[in-house]
């Protein structure tokens, strides 16, 4: 690669020309790019005010012992002053290695990792399989696609209700299993089966997105590549391995990352499926919500500290993921 | 093209009348053996049934008149009725919830898309210092677990007296909708040829003029996708809505549906009917735009 001369190309890492002074650079940058900055200003404001400010506030809360009893609030006409105090990193220490830290954090942490890995794995492989099937010439494939997108079309809170009817003790699933003389697990009560149901429902909800995205990716692969491969005598598996998979790479690395982020933070499925009844099946997000809003007194500080830990995990993960992609000469489509 | 690459289905059936010709027929590209085709249809049919069943089941249960009908669904056949729907529409807060859901979702949509459009354009066309950082920030905001924002937002909204107000909820949703819309729109703007911008600039338009006069009209489908995405996200959101909306006439559907469990003694037949009433228009809407939705979502990705 030659050194990029045009500043506007953006990729200037390793560019060693001496830099002018700070004031000069600011002025130049302003003149050259002011319209770009004007255009991103609205989003910068929204992110600053609605995201970064609450984030900073949340970060501050994690360093205090704030809960619903000692924060400032208004009851009728009485203003009650906030009385919580600064406690430093105590919350984090307590969460990570305090007494019963395993029961409160690490067990949920392990389950969250398992949940994310299993769900995204299932989403991806089922989605890829269905996308491959739908990408062939096949009678009725438009109809199949429309039906298969259905779980995505219906709002999650509606589908989860549907599943709760089906998984209830004497619901249709257990009736069917009973009829087949198979064991009828307590889907919504027993810890193992709660986790199983949660994964099942989330897989059901998440496959369409993967399927449709990968289908889009498949359709964008140039057909002549397949023709060329076939001319060279490549078998179906070899065509899949050496044409399809590389062709899908940029789509799949993006949707897998999005899938991981969304699944890791998946709130609705678990919250609506179990409410407060399943302490063992809560992933970190729902657990943090329960600390902050599902109990009395509400533990704001710990809840926010969980949030910061979750965010940190995701950011670290994404950085490594990006570095790994770059090492394999791939770009994330962002 | 040669005859062996003729369309898969039609000739195969026509040759059925002349079986002698069959064994010598060479399979063309994209054609499969009958077994493979059957297997594809089999798998897709099973998958479709799995996709369809929970929703169809919900619809079926919503027709049963008693609250325990979901436990013995066989009985529903003989006494199917639309009474549940009539009850929900007449005797619950259904229309209040509809109103709140629409206000909040449409508010989020309008603000989200308006604010995000210029940024999507800027990151698609311009390379300015801080560009990579901005893209990174847009991605990171996707990662914010509700737990980290919900507590401070609750505090902030209560200080601003915005708890239990539509505006408060719209603002909260904008924090997730705006970055994502910007990201989505960037992908869509990338698919519009840069030559159009250049032509506009040569003709003397400013960057803003180019954006408003040339690109925005061309990007209408992309804007629709981003808008729709914000709409369904806001419509289906549960955690913020159930924390910030306190009075039951201001509930959104996501919260209102849950209130059935406690308020109406787990009247599941009514819950099912409400769920169906909510799902039908949203799903119909979804089907209208789903093709564009996919293009929008993967536009950036497929370009590679």
């Amino acid at each position: 690669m030659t050194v990029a001369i045009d500043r506007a190309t953006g990729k200037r890492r390793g560019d060693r020309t001496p830099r002018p002074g700070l004031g000069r650079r600011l002025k130049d940058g302003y003149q050259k790019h002011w319209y770009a900055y004007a255009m991103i200003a609205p989003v910068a404001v929204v992110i600053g005010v609605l995201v970064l400010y609450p984030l900073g506030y949340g970060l501050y809360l994690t360093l205090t012992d704030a809960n619903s009893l000692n924060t400032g609030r208004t009851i009728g006409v009485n203003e009650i002053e906030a009385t919580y105090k600064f406690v430093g990193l105590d919350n984090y220490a307590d969460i990570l290695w305090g007494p019963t830290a395993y029961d409160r954090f690490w067990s949920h942490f392990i389950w969250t990792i398992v949940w994310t890995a299993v769900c995204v794995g299932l989403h991806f492989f089922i989605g890829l399989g269905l996308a491959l099937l739908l990408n062939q010439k096949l009678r009725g494939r438009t109809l199949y696609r429309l039906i298969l997108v259905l779980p995505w079309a219906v709002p999650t809170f509606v589908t989860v209700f549907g599943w709760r009817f089906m998984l209830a003790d004497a619901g249709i699933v257990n009736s069917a299993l009973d009829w087949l003389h198979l064991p009828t697990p307590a889907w919504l009560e027993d810890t193992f089966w709660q986790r199983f149901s949660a994964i099942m429902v989330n897989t059901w909800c998440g496959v369409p997105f993967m399927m449709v995205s990968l289908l889009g990716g498949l359709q964008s692969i140039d057909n002549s590549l397949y023709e060329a491969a076939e001319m060279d005598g490549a078998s179906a598996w070899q065509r899949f391995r050496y044409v399809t998979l590389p062709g899908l790479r940029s789509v799949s690395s993006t949707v897998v990352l999005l899938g991981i982020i969304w699944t890791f933070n998946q709130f609705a499925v678990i919250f609506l499926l179990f409410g407060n009844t399943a302490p063992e099946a809560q992933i970190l997000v729902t657990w943090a919500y329960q600390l902050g809003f599902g109990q009395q007194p509400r533990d704001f500080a710990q809840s926010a500290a969980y949030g910061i830990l979750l965010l940190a995990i995701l950011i670290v993960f994404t950085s490594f993921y990006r570095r790994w992609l770059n090492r394999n000469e791939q770009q994330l489509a962002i | 093209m040669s005859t062996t690459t003729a369309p898969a289905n039609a000739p195969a059936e026509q040759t059925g009348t002349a079986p002698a010709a069959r064994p010598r027929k060479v399979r063309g590209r994209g054609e499969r053996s009958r077994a493979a085709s059957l297997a594809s249809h089999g798998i897709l049919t099973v998958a479709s049934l799995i996709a369809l069943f929970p929703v169809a089941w919900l619809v079926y249960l919503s027709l049963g008149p008693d609250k325990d009908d979901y436990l013995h669904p066989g009985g529903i056949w003989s006494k199917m009725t639309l009474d549940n729907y009539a009850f929900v529409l007449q005797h619950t807060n259904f229309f209040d919830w509809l109103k709140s859901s629409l206000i909040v979702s449409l508010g989020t949509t309008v603000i989200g898309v308006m604010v995000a459009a210029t940024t999507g354009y800027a990151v698609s066309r311009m390379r300015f210092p801080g560009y990579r950082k901005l893209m990174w920030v847009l991605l990171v905001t996707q990662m914010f677990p509700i737990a980290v924002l919900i507590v401070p937002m609750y505090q902030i909204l209560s200080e601003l007296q915005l708890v239990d107000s539509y505006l408060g909820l719209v603002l909260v949703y904008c924090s997730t909708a705006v970055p994502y819309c910007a990201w989505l729109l960037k992908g869509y703007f990338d698919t519009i040829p840069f030559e159009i911008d250049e032509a506009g600039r040569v003709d003397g338009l400013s960057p803003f003029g180019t954006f408003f006069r040339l690109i925005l009209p061309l990007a209408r489908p992309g804007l629709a996708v981003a808008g729709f995405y914000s709409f369904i996200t806001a419509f289906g959101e549960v955690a913020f809505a159930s924390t910030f909306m306190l009075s039951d006439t201001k509930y959104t559907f996501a919260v209102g549906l849950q209130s059935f469990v406690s308020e109406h003694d787990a009247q599941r037949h009514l819950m099912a009917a409400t769920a169906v009433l909510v799902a039908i228009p949203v799903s119909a809407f979804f089907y209208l735009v789903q093709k564009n939705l996919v293009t929008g979502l993967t536009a950036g990705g497929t370009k590679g």
Side-chain angles (χ1 to χ4, degrees):
Chain A
M1 271 255 317
T2 50
V3 179
I5 297 166
D6 183 6
R7 298 189 53 159
T9 52
K11 287 185 184 171
R12 296 190 305 115
R13 236 168 240 179
D15 181 0
R16 294 254 169 221
T17 46
R19 282 143 70 92
L22 180 68
R24 182 66 194 275
R25 268 187 291 135
L26 281 177
K27 204 171 154 225
D28 281 359
Y30 175 78
Q31 276 170 352
K32 193 162 186 170
H33 302 290
W34 72 270
Y35 43 82
Y37 291 125
M39 281 186 160
I40 63 169
V43 164
V45 170
V46 168
I47 290 182
V49 175
L50 293 177
V51 180
L52 295 183
Y53 176 66
L55 179 68
Y57 196 105
L59 200 59
Y60 169 71
L61 278 182
T62 66
L63 304 176
T64 67
D65 61 353
N67 60 35
S68 57
L69 298 180
N70 60 16
T71 45
R73 68 215 121 113
T74 317
I75 298 172
V77 287
N78 300 320
E79 290 265 357
I80 298 174
E81 281 296 307
T83 54
Y84 58 83
K85 55 185 189 300
F86 190 81
V87 295
L89 294 172
D90 282 5
N91 283 313
Y92 294 99
D94 181 48
I95 290 171
L96 293 176
W97 50 78
T100 69
Y102 177 79
D103 287 333
R104 287 176 298 139
F105 181 79
W106 294 104
S107 61
H108 293 290
F109 175 78
I110 294 168
W111 160 233
T112 307
I113 302 290
V114 173
W115 150 268
T116 310
V118 173
C119 284
V120 175
L122 286 171
H123 287 166
F124 184 77
F125 287 109
I126 298 176
L128 179 62
L130 292 174
L132 286 170
L133 289 176
L134 287 176
N135 198 35
Q136 343 171 60
K137 283 185 188 134
L138 197 71
R139 198 170 300 178
R141 67 172 177 175
T142 316
L143 181 67
Y144 282 129
R145 208 199 61 193
L146 284 178
I147 296 177
L148 288 172
V149 176
L150 186 75
W152 191 14
V154 181
T156 315
F157 64 91
V158 171
T159 52
V160 174
F161 271 111
W163 277 95
R164 272 174 57 172
F165 286 125
M166 290 167 55
L167 294 174
D169 255 345
I172 180 73
V173 173
N174 275 351
S175 309
L177 290 175
D178 192 42
W179 187 69
L180 294 168
H181 299 288
L182 290 169
T184 56
W187 297 100
L188 302 178
E189 278 97 50
D190 190 66
T191 298
F192 173 80
W193 291 109
Q194 281 173 334
R195 293 178 172 181
F196 188 94
S197 329
I199 290 178
M200 184 165 71
V201 174
N202 192 46
T203 303
W204 187 85
C205 293
V207 163
F209 168 73
M210 284 284 186
M211 179 188 83
V212 171
S213 308
L214 292 172
L215 187 59
L218 285 174
Q219 281 166 353
S220 75
I221 298 176
D222 193 346
N223 232 336
S224 62
L225 291 175
Y226 286 104
E227 280 166 25
E230 215 164 340
M231 291 297 280
D232 294 344
S235 67
W237 165 250
Q238 283 170 325
R239 291 199 298 272
F240 175 73
R241 173 74 186 74
Y242 295 107
V243 180
T244 310
L245 283 186
L248 277 181
R249 221 182 262 160
S250 85
V251 180
S252 48
S253 53
T254 307
V255 290
V256 165
L257 177 62
L258 279 180
I260 288 173
I261 293 172
W262 288 340
T263 311
F264 193 83
N265 283 335
Q266 173 59 262
F267 179 82
V269 167
I270 289 186
F271 178 75
L272 293 175
L273 210 50
F274 307 117
N276 287 340
T277 62
E280 297 298 317
Q282 305 286 338
I283 56 173
L284 287 170
V285 176
T286 54
W287 181 248
Y289 179 81
Q290 202 166 319
L291 286 179
F293 290 91
Q295 63 175 28
Q296 285 297 340
R298 298 167 163 192
D299 196 337
F300 292 148
Q302 290 251 340
S303 178
Y306 270 90
I308 296 288
L309 287 171
L310 281 167
L311 185 61
I313 294 170
L314 278 177
I315 290 180
V316 169
F317 168 80
T318 310
S319 309
F320 277 106
Y321 186 83
R322 238 165 53 144
R323 205 162 297 168
W324 176 77
L325 284 181
N326 282 341
R327 209 167 39 227
N328 292 311
E329 310 214 325
Q330 295 173 39
Q331 274 286 322
L332 210 53
I334 58 167
Chain B
M1 291 298 276
S2 67
T3 47
T4 51
T5 52
N9 294 321
E13 272 165 56
Q14 279 158 12
T15 51
T17 53
R22 251 203 163 158
R24 267 185 285 138
K25 190 175 180 306
V26 180
R27 251 192 286 145
R29 280 185 19 81
E31 286 183 53
R32 293 166 314 282
S33 66
R34 187 151 280 246
S37 184
L38 270 180
S40 298
H41 276 291
I43 296 172
L44 286 172
T45 309
V46 171
S48 303
L49 286 179
I50 295 176
L52 210 51
F53 187 77
V55 180
W57 191 242
L58 192 65
V59 175
Y60 178 65
L61 290 180
S62 72
L63 300 170
D66 293 324
K67 67 175 178 183
D68 291 327
D69 271 339
Y70 76 104
L71 295 175
H72 8 79
I76 296 180
W77 268 122
S78 50
K79 51 180 183 182
M80 256 190 218
T81 160
L82 289 175
D83 287 355
N84 295 334
Y85 291 94
F87 183 89
V88 168
L89 292 177
Q90 287 162 6
H91 301 286
T92 65
N93 292 328
F94 185 87
F95 288 102
D96 287 330
W97 300 338
L98 179 67
K99 195 182 88 188
S100 338
S101 288
L102 286 181
I103 291 177
V104 170
S105 310
L106 289 176
T108 310
T109 305
V110 171
I111 298 180
V113 174
M114 274 190 348
V115 170
T118 50
T119 299
Y121 180 74
V123 286
S124 163
R125 294 298 201 265
M126 302 164 191
R127 292 293 170 271
F128 47 91
Y131 159 80
R132 289 189 167 272
K133 284 199 189 76
L134 180 66
M135 292 304 284
W136 180 239
V137 169
L138 292 181
L139 180 68
V140 169
T141 51
Q142 284 289 298
M143 305 174 195
F144 276 42
I146 46 139
V148 63
L149 289 183
I150 203 162
V151 177
M153 279 192 164
Y154 188 81
Q155 300 280 331
I156 293 166
L157 289 186
S158 62
E159 272 161 37
L160 296 174
Q161 312 270 326
L162 283 177
V163 174
D164 199 27
S165 81
Y166 297 131
L167 179 65
L169 204 55
V170 168
L171 287 178
V172 171
Y173 288 159
C174 278
S175 70
T176 48
V178 166
Y180 195 71
C181 281
W183 208 42
L184 255 168
L185 285 169
K186 188 244 177 206
Y188 197 87
F189 289 136
D190 281 347
T191 64
I192 299 174
F194 285 31
E195 286 80 8
I196 293 180
D197 299 57
E198 283 161 15
R201 297 300 301 277
V202 169
D203 288 348
L205 284 171
S206 73
F208 298 109
T210 318
F211 172 66
F212 283 112
R213 296 192 186 189
L214 299 178
I215 304 300
L216 263 193
L218 283 174
R220 239 179 268 142
L223 296 174
V225 170
F228 180 72
Y229 190 87
S230 333
F231 184 86
I232 48 170
T233 315
F235 194 89
E237 205 281 333
V238 180
F240 286 121
S242 54
T243 312
F244 293 160
M245 296 320 246
L246 307 174
S247 45
D248 61 0
T249 50
K250 284 188 178 171
Y251 285 166
T252 59
F253 279 125
V255 188
L257 201 54
Q258 290 178 79
S259 75
F260 264 125
V261 186
S262 47
E263 278 177 31
H264 296 271
D265 184 27
Q267 296 185 337
R268 288 162 187 270
H269 55 306
L270 298 180
M271 263 165 60
T274 316
V276 173
L277 281 175
V278 176
I280 287 172
V282 182
S283 316
F285 193 24
F286 182 91
Y287 274 104
L288 286 179
V289 292
Q290 47 108 7
K291 201 137 197 197
N292 295 318
L293 188 60
V294 174
T295 327
L297 282 171
T298 50
T302 47
K303 272 185 53 139

